[in-house]
Amino acid sequence: MTETIPMRVKYLKPILLASTLIGLSQWSGLSLAQTADQLYKRGLAATCANCHGTDGKGVVDGGMPLINNLTSQEMLAKLKAYKSGALEGTIMPQLAKGYTDEQLTTIANQLGKKQ
């Protein structure tokens, strides 16, 4: 058990970096027309694509929950629950604790299902 936590941390930074670069590269053609604020918001949300896919459906047989069916409010509640420890998980609590509440709100607003 103690050996798995350092392994998760070891792979966390490359995963975050890769997902950010992938996310930014997908929008590179549009980046000239976007503001830095829009790129920042999309970059934050792009970090989720590594595990949940670009469509929020997760990885087939990967055990990742669907997130494309959540509203922004539902997603924000889950993210805050992971951050506070009220909701258990493998990597989500670690990831959520790395974001400010404002950043979690941005992610939820970017990815949450619009009503």
Side-chain angles (χ1 to χ4, degrees):
M1 182 75 177
T2 58
E3 290 182 20
T4 58
I5 292 173
M7 291 294 285
R8 289 181 190 155
V9 173
K10 178 181 177 182
Y11 293 111
L12 185 59
K13 286 182 182 179
I15 288 171
L16 289 175
L17 179 61
S19 61
T20 299
L21 292 175
I22 290 169
L24 290 175
S25 69
Q26 290 185 355
W27 291 295
S28 64
L30 301 173
S31 64
L32 294 175
Q34 297 180 348
T35 66
D37 184 58
Q38 290 171 323
L39 285 175
Y40 170 73
K41 290 176 180 177
R42 288 181 174 214
L44 283 176
T47 60
C48 303
N50 195 48
C51 295
H52 296 281
T54 56
D55 56 3
K57 294 181 179 178
V59 178
V60 176
D61 298 327
M64 296 298 155
L66 295 174
I67 61 170
N68 65 347
N69 59 349
L70 299 174
T71 65
S72 295
Q73 293 81 16
E74 292 169 331
M75 189 172 295
L76 181 59
K78 283 188 175 266
L79 290 170
K80 285 186 173 182
Y82 279 122
K83 184 176 181 177
S84 72
L87 192 58
E88 293 183 6
T90 53
I91 196 163
M92 280 305 300
Q94 297 174 58
L95 292 173
K97 289 176 184 173
Y99 292 105
T100 65
D101 286 349
E102 181 181 355
Q103 290 172 321
L104 292 178
T105 300
T106 298
I107 291 169
N109 287 336
Q110 286 290 309
L111 298 179
K113 184 177 170 184
K114 308 301 181 242
Q115 296 181 356

